[in-house]
Amino acid sequence: MDPAAAMIVPLVLALCTAMAGAAVVEHTFNVGGMNISQLCTNSTIYTANQQLPGPTIEASEGDTVVVHVVNDSPYPLSVHWHGIFQLLSGWADGAHMITDCPIQPSGNFTYQFNITGQEGTLWWHAHSSLLRATIYGALIIKPRNGTAGYPFPAPYGEIPIIFGEWWNKNVNDVEIDAHLTGLGPAISDALTINGMPGDQTPCQAAGVYEVEVASNETYLLRIINAAVNVELFFKVAGHNFTVVAVDASYTDPYDTDVIVIAPGQTVDALMNTSAPPGLYYMAATVFESKTVSFPFNNGTATGIFKYEGAPNDTAASMPAMPAHTDVVTAGTFYWSLTGLVRPGDPTVPTAVNHSMVVEFGMEQGPCAPDQTRCQGFALVASMNRRSFQFPKNASLLEAMYDALPGLYSQDFPASPPPVPMATKATSVKNVTYNDVVEVVLQSTTYSRVLGTENHPIHLHGFNFFVLAEGLGRFDPTTAGSMYNLVNPLVRNTVIVPGGGWTVIRFTANNPGMWFMHCHLDAHLPLGLAMVFQVLDGPAPNLLPPPPVDYPICY
Ligand SMILES: *[C@@H]1O[C@H](CO)[C@@H](O)[C@H](O)[C@H]1NC(C)=O
Ligand SMILES: *[C@@H]1O[C@H](CO)[C@@H](O)[C@H](O)[C@H]1NC(C)=O
Ligand SMILES: *[C@@H]1O[C@H](CO)[C@@H](O)[C@H](O)[C@H]1NC(C)=O
Ligand SMILES: *[C@@H]1O[C@H](CO)[C@@H](O)[C@H](O)[C@H]1NC(C)=O
Ligand SMILES: *[C@@H]1O[C@H](CO)[C@@H](O)[C@H](O)[C@H]1NC(C)=O
Ligand SMILES: *[C@@H]1O[C@H](CO)[C@@H](O)[C@H](O)[C@H]1NC(C)=O
Ligand SMILES: *[C@@H]1O[C@H](CO)[C@@H](O)[C@H](O)[C@H]1NC(C)=O
Ligand SMILES: *[C@@H]1O[C@H](CO)[C@@H](O)[C@H](O)[C@H]1NC(C)=O
Ligand SMILES: *[C@@H]1O[C@H](CO)[C@@H](O)[C@H](O)[C@H]1NC(C)=O
Ligand SMILES: *[C@@H]1O[C@H](CO)[C@@H](O)[C@H](O)[C@H]1NC(C)=O
Ligand SMILES: *[C@@H]1O[C@H](CO)[C@@H](O)[C@H](O)[C@H]1NC(C)=O
Ligand SMILES: *[C@@H]1O[C@H](CO)[C@@H](O)[C@H](O)[C@H]1NC(C)=O
Ligand SMILES: [Cu+2]
């Protein structure tokens, strides 16, 4: 085998340590160009190890994960381990310019972190530009004692189902165009399931994901929305699901015939193969929440469940998908889920140290001089009127650790100030170690032209309890009685309904700089973000020094 091929093979070394069952799971990701024919177009994309989706990381709770990322692409990039707590390992969070400077072309960095107190499905993705459109993969966490640890009967098989969005154009150029026009990225050319668009696109030769299943068994589908900008409906013809976990947190079992999933979220669902032997389409379509009509990808990604022994000439049956604007189906799914509470699980903290209202949305701002194709206005997004600006020259975590002056200010407001326009700022909310933070995420529209839409808000470094949600403005006098403090859902990415609100609560038990942002990549560069700075706790809860190979900025 030549050395290049050897680099491509993921190094999965399950080195058992002396610790009870804890292992080191080690991979090398060579991020580089890959020639692909997709949607009847030849293009070069950037992937990890020439795979789309990239390699699956499989680990058990308590394991140490080590990933050597070698950047053979022409773009600076960092890789984020979405949903991993990064307890005392914030340097490995991979959030571009928040915790990490990007790995420069020809550079490399070793991400190392422990998986503590979480089980289920997470994922990893590039956290720079639109590169995550092709640089992503599953991160599966099994219970420490194997499938016996599941709070549901051990499934016969497990199948990752990863949704993506595909652009024929180089995605870095799509991102550049988005900035020049000030209007955000062009809509994608296709939706994908496990990297393939399926057989319902205009390209007859498009790849179709197909998986064989045995009859009368139960499968665990590990569903990940790695799409860049769209919420999705997912159905399988002739089959229903039982949801058992989201975002690597167990849920009370929830029966449904449709999964609704926002970018950044995961859903673990059981599916019985109790239909007559045959071929059954799985399908994903966009759930479009915008109240003002804008173009969106109205295509359908398909894949196929093929029963063992099914006659190969049978036509697959297609599920009836909800209408793209079916807000009732979407809302019913999102807001029916509750968390599974087991002995020993963290309970909702009742004493809150920081009670915040964070209002966010999109507005029309002036065209910047470098936005050469901007016509009339450019989109601007903000949280509490601060339009987030990435720092230059050092990451915020480095600035915190080395006390570098002038990179950020500790003035993120606890409630929206009464000024009309957003200002650009690198503003953080500083909190003491172990403080309990409650945030009312309030979605607002400033503009009749832009209307409202759902935003998936993702918090790095912590899971949060989802206590309540509603439409319109949050009213503290009536909302209190709506809080679920008993068995709320636990997530890392939550939908805030367009023009409505969602209340989250978390314990800031991890020193570092933790990004909270919209997981629609269209909104992140516009400033729909803020950062929680969690100060060092009493020893040993101190931010450790950066790893020796930590990338240097510029
Ligand atoms: C992709 O194709 C181009 C042009 O044919 C070639 O130069 C390049 O080496 C190929 N890249 C890979 C990774 O195969
Ligand atoms: C893509 O490349 C293949 C092989 O290099 C070639 O046969 C095919 O015609 C190309 N397709 C298009 C659409 O350019
Ligand atoms: C990760 O786990 C290893 C093995 O248990 C331990 O030695 C190490 O201190 C842990 N690291 C952190 C940051 O907790
Ligand atoms: C990673 O970077 C170091 C420092 O530049 C270099 O010595 C090493 O060879 C690189 N490793 C790989 C696999 O590229
Ligand atoms: C596996 O671990 C879980 C949680 O730690 C525990 O509830 C369960 O009893 C264990 N099962 C076995 C078979 O050891
Ligand atoms: C699946 O179970 C049904 C109901 O028990 C039974 O009729 C059918 O024959 C089974 N199918 C297979 C392939 O065993
Ligand atoms: C799925 O659930 C619906 C609604 O509860 C039910 O009508 C249908 O029969 C179920 N389908 C299967 C295959 O279990
Ligand atoms: C799958 O089968 C099990 C065992 O028969 C049953 O309890 C469960 O309700 C079924 N789930 C669905 C979604 O049909
Ligand atoms: C889907 O969108 C395309 C372009 O955005 C449009 O041309 C087409 O008419 C739409 N199809 C349907 C069924 O709405
Ligand atoms: C379909 O099955 C028949 C008989 O098992 C086999 O001869 C044929 O090659 C198969 N066709 C395809 C396309 O797999
Ligand atoms: C946070 O609240 C708890 C409980 O009320 C209190 O004990 C603690 O001192 C508070 N922390 C700070 C930094 O005020
Ligand atoms: C946050 O920083 C501000 C300004 O630097 C300071 O006045 C305040 O005491 C800090 N708050 C906490 C909880 O550390
Ligand atoms: Cu958003």
Side-chain angles (χ1 to χ4, degrees), residues 161-172:
I161 304 280
I162 313 179
F163 305 125
E165 268 182 290
W166 174 266
W167 280 264
N168 286 328
K169 201 170 170 175
N170 175 306
V171 291
N172 210 61

PDB file of all heavy atoms in Angstrom, residues 161-172:
ATOM      1  N   ILE A 161     -28.077   8.087   9.533  1.00  0.00           N
ATOM      2  CA  ILE A 161     -28.759   8.768   8.417  1.00  0.00           C
ATOM      3  C   ILE A 161     -28.370  10.235   8.537  1.00  0.00           C
ATOM      4  O   ILE A 161     -28.834  10.926   9.451  1.00  0.00           O
ATOM      5  CB  ILE A 161     -30.297   8.642   8.518  1.00  0.00           C
ATOM      6  CG1 ILE A 161     -30.745   7.174   8.601  1.00  0.00           C
ATOM      7  CG2 ILE A 161     -30.989   9.396   7.387  1.00  0.00           C
ATOM      8  CD1 ILE A 161     -30.791   6.443   7.297  1.00  0.00           C
ATOM      9  N   ILE A 162     -27.500  10.689   7.651  1.00  0.00           N
ATOM     10  CA  ILE A 162     -26.957  12.045   7.783  1.00  0.00           C
ATOM     11  C   ILE A 162     -27.429  12.886   6.598  1.00  0.00           C
ATOM     12  O   ILE A 162     -27.156  12.544   5.447  1.00  0.00           O
ATOM     13  CB  ILE A 162     -25.411  12.018   7.830  1.00  0.00           C
ATOM     14  CG1 ILE A 162     -24.932  10.949   8.822  1.00  0.00           C
ATOM     15  CG2 ILE A 162     -24.867  13.391   8.178  1.00  0.00           C
ATOM     16  CD1 ILE A 162     -23.429  10.828   8.922  1.00  0.00           C
ATOM     17  N   PHE A 163     -28.141  13.960   6.905  1.00  0.00           N
ATOM     18  CA  PHE A 163     -28.621  14.847   5.848  1.00  0.00           C
ATOM     19  C   PHE A 163     -27.585  15.922   5.550  1.00  0.00           C
ATOM     20  O   PHE A 163     -26.917  16.416   6.460  1.00  0.00           O
ATOM     21  CB  PHE A 163     -29.924  15.543   6.261  1.00  0.00           C
ATOM     22  CG  PHE A 163     -30.997  14.578   6.664  1.00  0.00           C
ATOM     23  CD1 PHE A 163     -31.612  14.676   7.902  1.00  0.00           C
ATOM     24  CD2 PHE A 163     -31.382  13.546   5.818  1.00  0.00           C
ATOM     25  CE1 PHE A 163     -32.593  13.783   8.279  1.00  0.00           C
ATOM     26  CE2 PHE A 163     -32.364  12.648   6.188  1.00  0.00           C
ATOM     27  CZ  PHE A 163     -32.967  12.762   7.431  1.00  0.00           C
ATOM     28  N   GLY A 164     -27.494  16.286   4.275  1.00  0.00           N
ATOM     29  CA  GLY A 164     -26.590  17.360   3.884  1.00  0.00           C
ATOM     30  C   GLY A 164     -27.216  18.209   2.796  1.00  0.00           C
ATOM     31  O   GLY A 164     -28.331  17.947   2.331  1.00  0.00           O
ATOM     32  N   GLU A 165     -26.488  19.256   2.448  1.00  0.00           N
ATOM     33  CA  GLU A 165     -26.893  20.105   1.320  1.00  0.00           C
ATOM     34  C   GLU A 165     -25.729  20.177   0.357  1.00  0.00           C
ATOM     35  O   GLU A 165     -24.568  20.293   0.774  1.00  0.00           O
ATOM     36  CB  GLU A 165     -27.214  21.524   1.809  1.00  0.00           C
ATOM     37  CG  GLU A 165     -28.659  21.742   2.145  1.00  0.00           C
ATOM     38  CD  GLU A 165     -28.897  23.174   2.580  1.00  0.00           C
ATOM     39  OE1 GLU A 165     -28.439  23.544   3.671  1.00  0.00           O
ATOM     40  OE2 GLU A 165     -29.542  23.909   1.830  1.00  0.00           O
ATOM     41  N   TRP A 166     -26.048  20.135  -0.915  1.00  0.00           N
ATOM     42  CA  TRP A 166     -25.027  20.080  -1.953  1.00  0.00           C
ATOM     43  C   TRP A 166     -25.098  21.304  -2.858  1.00  0.00           C
ATOM     44  O   TRP A 166     -26.181  21.684  -3.291  1.00  0.00           O
ATOM     45  CB  TRP A 166     -25.228  18.806  -2.803  1.00  0.00           C
ATOM     46  CG  TRP A 166     -24.305  18.775  -3.974  1.00  0.00           C
ATOM     47  CD1 TRP A 166     -24.582  19.215  -5.240  1.00  0.00           C
ATOM     48  CD2 TRP A 166     -22.947  18.340  -3.971  1.00  0.00           C
ATOM     49  NE1 TRP A 166     -23.475  19.071  -6.025  1.00  0.00           N
ATOM     50  CE2 TRP A 166     -22.455  18.542  -5.278  1.00  0.00           C
ATOM     51  CE3 TRP A 166     -22.096  17.811  -2.997  1.00  0.00           C
ATOM     52  CZ2 TRP A 166     -21.144  18.218  -5.629  1.00  0.00           C
ATOM     53  CZ3 TRP A 166     -20.795  17.489  -3.347  1.00  0.00           C
ATOM     54  CH2 TRP A 166     -20.334  17.697  -4.650  1.00  0.00           C
ATOM     55  N   TRP A 167     -23.938  21.917  -3.089  1.00  0.00           N
ATOM     56  CA  TRP A 167     -23.828  22.982  -4.097  1.00  0.00           C
ATOM     57  C   TRP A 167     -22.904  22.494  -5.211  1.00  0.00           C
ATOM     58  O   TRP A 167     -21.827  21.930  -4.922  1.00  0.00           O
ATOM     59  CB  TRP A 167     -23.212  24.250  -3.495  1.00  0.00           C
ATOM     60  CG  TRP A 167     -24.151  25.107  -2.715  1.00  0.00           C
ATOM     61  CD1 TRP A 167     -24.835  26.197  -3.170  1.00  0.00           C
ATOM     62  CD2 TRP A 167     -24.510  24.980  -1.324  1.00  0.00           C
ATOM     63  NE1 TRP A 167     -25.599  26.742  -2.159  1.00  0.00           N
ATOM     64  CE2 TRP A 167     -25.412  26.020  -1.020  1.00  0.00           C
ATOM     65  CE3 TRP A 167     -24.161  24.077  -0.305  1.00  0.00           C
ATOM     66  CZ2 TRP A 167     -25.974  26.200   0.244  1.00  0.00           C
ATOM     67  CZ3 TRP A 167     -24.714  24.244   0.950  1.00  0.00           C
ATOM     68  CH2 TRP A 167     -25.610  25.293   1.220  1.00  0.00           C
ATOM     69  N   ASN A 168     -23.288  22.690  -6.455  1.00  0.00           N
ATOM     70  CA  ASN A 168     -22.386  22.362  -7.563  1.00  0.00           C
ATOM     71  C   ASN A 168     -21.173  23.282  -7.567  1.00  0.00           C
ATOM     72  O   ASN A 168     -20.081  22.887  -7.950  1.00  0.00           O
ATOM     73  CB  ASN A 168     -23.116  22.479  -8.908  1.00  0.00           C
ATOM     74  CG  ASN A 168     -24.085  21.321  -9.116  1.00  0.00           C
ATOM     75  OD1 ASN A 168     -23.836  20.201  -8.645  1.00  0.00           O
ATOM     76  ND2 ASN A 168     -25.173  21.588  -9.799  1.00  0.00           N
ATOM     77  N   LYS A 169     -21.393  24.526  -7.136  1.00  0.00           N
ATOM     78  CA  LYS A 169     -20.318  25.507  -7.093  1.00  0.00           C
ATOM     79  C   LYS A 169     -19.441  25.260  -5.863  1.00  0.00           C
ATOM     80  O   LYS A 169     -19.914  24.733  -4.856  1.00  0.00           O
ATOM     81  CB  LYS A 169     -20.971  26.888  -7.007  1.00  0.00           C
ATOM     82  CG  LYS A 169     -20.103  28.027  -7.433  1.00  0.00           C
ATOM     83  CD  LYS A 169     -20.916  29.319  -7.535  1.00  0.00           C
ATOM     84  CE  LYS A 169     -19.955  30.483  -7.728  1.00  0.00           C
ATOM     85  NZ  LYS A 169     -20.663  31.742  -7.950  1.00  0.00           N
ATOM     86  N   ASN A 170     -18.181  25.656  -5.946  1.00  0.00           N
ATOM     87  CA  ASN A 170     -17.277  25.609  -4.792  1.00  0.00           C
ATOM     88  C   ASN A 170     -17.921  26.391  -3.632  1.00  0.00           C
ATOM     89  O   ASN A 170     -18.299  27.550  -3.786  1.00  0.00           O
ATOM     90  CB  ASN A 170     -15.942  26.240  -5.208  1.00  0.00           C
ATOM     91  CG  ASN A 170     -14.963  26.369  -4.060  1.00  0.00           C
ATOM     92  OD1 ASN A 170     -15.278  26.951  -3.023  1.00  0.00           O
ATOM     93  ND2 ASN A 170     -13.777  25.829  -4.235  1.00  0.00           N
ATOM     94  N   VAL A 171     -18.067  25.744  -2.476  1.00  0.00           N
ATOM     95  CA  VAL A 171     -18.828  26.379  -1.395  1.00  0.00           C
ATOM     96  C   VAL A 171     -18.130  27.608  -0.824  1.00  0.00           C
ATOM     97  O   VAL A 171     -18.775  28.505  -0.275  1.00  0.00           O
ATOM     98  CB  VAL A 171     -19.184  25.384  -0.260  1.00  0.00           C
ATOM     99  CG1 VAL A 171     -20.193  24.369  -0.754  1.00  0.00           C
ATOM    100  CG2 VAL A 171     -17.950  24.723   0.319  1.00  0.00           C
ATOM    101  N   ASN A 172     -16.799  27.654  -0.947  1.00  0.00           N
ATOM    102  CA  ASN A 172     -16.098  28.849  -0.496  1.00  0.00           C
ATOM    103  C   ASN A 172     -16.495  30.048  -1.370  1.00  0.00           C
ATOM    104  O   ASN A 172     -16.657  31.165  -0.876  1.00  0.00           O
ATOM    105  CB  ASN A 172     -14.587  28.614  -0.559  1.00  0.00           C
ATOM    106  CG  ASN A 172     -13.857  29.395   0.493  1.00  0.00           C
ATOM    107  OD1 ASN A 172     -14.080  29.196   1.685  1.00  0.00           O
ATOM    108  ND2 ASN A 172     -13.009  30.312   0.052  1.00  0.00           N
TER     109      ASN A 172
END
